[in-house]
Amino acid sequence: MAKNIQSVRGMRDILPTQSASWQFIENTARTLFNSYGYQELRTPVVEPTGLFKRAIGDATDIVEKEMYTFEDRNGDSLTLRPEGTAGCVRAGLQHGLFHNQQQRIWYTGPMFRHERPQKGRYRQFYQAGIETFGIAGPDIDAEVIAIAARLWKKLDIENVRLEINSLGSDAAREAYREILIDYFTQHQDQLDDDSRRRLHKNPLRILDSKNPAMKELVANAPDLLDYLDDESSSHFEGLKKRLDSMGIAYQVNSRLVRGIDYYNRTVFEWITDDLGAQGTICAGGRYDGLVKQLGGRETPACGFGIGLDRLQLLIESLNIDIPDQNPHAYFVLLGEQAELTGLQLAEQIRNSHPSLRLLVNGGAGSFKSQLKRADKSAADYAFILGESEMEASEIIIKPLRKALAISDQQSIPQSKLDDVIKNDILA
Ligand code: ATP
Ligand code: MG
């Protein structure tokens, strides 16, 4: 026999039994973003390779070794998007969304990075993010952070902490870069291979090293916050003041640098200790230079990306209550005539009760086998229609998982069904 084809390594199926928590997260996020006046932007999953090279930076992990890049049939180099911001900026420029305007945008969808698969790290993963354009002050940084804070609350997640930092202006970062190169060069013997490679290309990334052997060296490195320009400094103070006034707790982490080149000034991460090594569930910051770098005019911008896979793992591990998606009722239909009438009745019920989840038996079967299916469907009740109920214009309601508040009489006139659904089953 031929071997069954399996999914690509690091790319998962999300099965019907697992999708309830995904829908809960996605619906909650969508509603929340809309409630702050953000609107959805849907961009293609594939973009020209040059977009990500220019936006994310040549010396980053993503561009150096994580992108899914391939040649189109006409010879163009294309890449599966590894993140959402570059595409949003490309689309905004292409459709003239930036000039003299403010934009508040959200997106969600799959992203692709060729990394070593492990818990919380996949090759196809999902992000939901927001991006704001045209607002320069710390007020919007604070709003962006507040949206994430509110999302955790809505999802009933408590143990996440916020770390913030400021990367300053390009000039300040350039000056700090030289100081860092000096420092790490003096301790070159203590650098690991990755850091040695980054020393001249991207020394700030050394601060982000996860190698325990490098910990002390990194801890003693000069502090970025000591080299901030005045404007970035007061921007950072402005952000902290606003977070304080909204009651959003944070820690300043001067080693937080982020893995993507486009960030300046504010950067932040939301981190949980409940997921092990892959603890960052949301990351973002300000990227005032990106629109110009991709060919537009100077446009201040700020946003974040949430790792939905990690959020879903977190919700699962915390046993958080998510909205039930099991059917309210399973319609058992006995005999040919009942099948015809039942289909009609089911459609009427759906007209009157759009929020009722009603499953109608498929493939006929005996009473026993239909009830078995009803039970397997995890429905709260079975509606039963057979010959004698048809004759009497009645229907039987059999509690499967939930009791009925109506009388112990389970057989009711069909004309009363609407009331029972409204006042009892959906109540
Ligand atoms: P990490 O340090 O964990 O590799 P990153 O700095 O590469 O993260 P970002 O590019 O900032 O991550 O992406 C934002 C968020 O998307 C991350 O905080 C994380 O929650 C999620 N994420 C990133 N890469 C993956 C992946 N391969 N699988 C699952 N989630 C991911
Ligand atoms: Mg990464």
Side-chain angles (χ1 to χ4, degrees):
M1 238 182 40
K3 222 175 135 200
N4 286 343
I5 295 174
Q6 305 284 309
S7 66
V8 174
R9 185 167 135 81
M11 303 198 183
R12 308 177 297 159
D13 300 306
I14 293 159
L15 300 177
T17 46
Q18 304 164 324
S19 58
S21 56
W22 280 87
Q23 290 193 13
F24 171 56
I25 293 169
E26 288 166 351
N27 293 341
T28 307
R30 190 177 294 130
T31 308
L32 178 66
F33 298 159
N34 287 334
S35 79
Y36 276 78
Y38 289 61
Q39 289 178 312
E40 185 181 16
L41 172 63
R42 296 194 191 203
T43 64
V45 166
V46 182
E47 297 276 2
T49 303
L51 173 66
F52 300 116
K53 284 197 171 170
R54 270 167 73 182
I56 298 169
D58 276 326
T60 58
D61 283 352
I62 295 179
V63 172
E64 270 186 345
K65 52 189 189 200
E66 294 174 359
M67 293 205 302
Y68 278 91
T69 296
F70 60 96
E71 201 174 280
D72 200 355
R73 288 179 190 276
N74 63 5
D76 293 345
S77 181
L78 305 181
T79 295
L80 299 183
R81 63 179 181 197
E83 55 85 85
T85 304
C88 285
V89 173
R90 198 262 317 129
L93 282 170
Q94 187 171 332
H95 302 285
L97 305 185
F98 297 145
H99 185 46
N100 280 336
Q101 293 171 73
Q102 295 186 347
Q103 293 290 349
R104 287 177 167 89
I105 283 166
W106 65 266
Y107 63 84
T108 183
M111 308 293 161
F112 303 85
R113 295 183 195 177
H114 196 276
E115 303 192 67
R116 194 171 67 77
Q118 53 196 291
K119 186 185 166 201
R121 195 176 290 286
Y122 312 99
R123 292 180 174 177
Q124 173 170 337
F125 62 101
Y126 297 83
Q127 284 186 344
I130 64 177
E131 313 289 359
T132 67
F133 298 96
I135 307 168
D139 50 348
I140 199 71
D141 307 29
E143 175 177 295
V144 162
I145 288 173
I147 291 175
R150 186 173 294 275
L151 182 60
W152 317 142
K153 232 180 247 161
K154 293 237 171 217
L155 296 175
D156 233 352
I157 294 171
E158 276 167 9
N159 280 328
V160 271
R161 63 174 190 278
L162 169 64
E163 292 188 357
I164 61 173
N165 192 22
S166 177
L167 301 179
S169 66
D170 288 353
R173 215 157 49 255
E174 196 48 47
Y176 177 64
R177 208 185 108 95
E178 295 306 319
I179 288 159
L180 260 193
I181 293 177
D182 273 358
Y183 169 78
F184 284 123
T185 306
Q186 279 165 34
H187 302 89
Q188 201 150 14
D189 50 318
Q190 295 169 51
L191 294 178
D192 60 11
D193 287 348
D194 261 349
S195 305
R196 210 163 285 145
R197 206 164 39 80
R198 283 181 174 138
L199 180 56
H200 291 278
K201 267 167 69 182
N202 200 350
L204 265 73
R205 283 291 275 155
I206 301 178
L207 298 178
D208 196 33
S209 168
K210 311 263 181 335
N211 183 355
M214 296 268 304
K215 208 169 171 179
E216 199 180 310
L217 186 65
V218 166
N220 293 325
D223 207 333
L224 194 153
L225 289 173
D226 291 338
Y227 297 88
L228 277 196
D229 51 298
D230 289 346
E231 261 187 86
S232 296
S233 222
S234 69
H235 186 102
F236 198 43
E237 289 310 311
L239 170 62
K240 289 192 276 186
K241 208 162 68 188
R242 284 169 176 82
L243 293 177
D244 289 338
S245 82
M246 287 190 288
I248 296 174
Y250 57 85
Q251 292 158 348
V252 175
N253 173 3
S254 61
R255 296 292 179 258
L256 184 67
V257 291
R258 312 286 313 114
I260 300 177
D261 279 358
Y262 51 59
Y263 289 112
N264 67 307
R265 289 201 175 152
T266 309
V267 289
F268 60 87
E269 291 192 0
W270 289 92
I271 304 161
T272 170
D273 293 323
D274 294 335
L275 279 181
Q278 267 59 251
T280 301
I281 55 172
C282 172
R286 188 163 268 289
Y287 49 98
D288 297 326
L290 186 58
V291 173
K292 189 168 179 196
Q293 194 180 312
L294 293 178
R297 294 173 224 230
E298 197 88 45
T299 307
C302 182
F304 66 59
I306 295 171
L308 295 179
D309 306 75
R310 294 183 191 175
L311 202 50
Q312 194 272 340
L313 284 172
L314 185 61
I315 282 186
E316 209 173 61
S317 77
L318 297 175
N319 278 321
I320 285 171
D321 249 355
I322 56 170
D324 188 9
Q325 285 194 327
N326 294 334
H328 293 105
Y330 188 102
F331 215 151
V332 172
L333 301 170
L334 301 164
E336 216 171 296
Q337 200 49 49
E339 262 185 47
L340 282 175
T341 312
L343 275 185
Q344 207 182 35
L345 191 55
E347 289 306 312
Q348 278 168 25
I349 293 172
R350 290 176 175 126
N351 287 341
S352 319
H353 309 281
S355 65
L356 185 82
R357 292 185 298 275
L358 174 63
L359 232 136
V360 175
N361 182 70
S366 68
F367 181 59
K368 206 172 144 194
S369 68
Q370 290 197 36
L371 262 192
K372 231 185 194 162
R373 289 181 198 136
D375 203 46
K376 205 167 166 216
S377 80
D380 297 333
Y381 306 95
F383 294 169
I384 302 165
L385 195 63
E387 300 279 315
S388 47
E389 287 76 33
M390 298 260 297
E391 264 165 40
S393 289
E394 292 188 333
I395 186 165
I396 295 175
I397 303 182
K398 182 179 165 60
L400 298 175
R401 281 182 172 64
K402 285 192 181 151
L404 270 185
I406 51 162
S407 66
D408 47 349
Q409 176 69 273
Q410 294 180 6
S411 187
I412 62 161
Q414 284 173 19
S415 58
K416 286 246 175 81
L417 187 57
D418 271 343
D419 284 347
V420 175
I421 292 175
K422 193 168 140 230
N423 301 325
D424 201 338
I425 293 179
L426 286 179

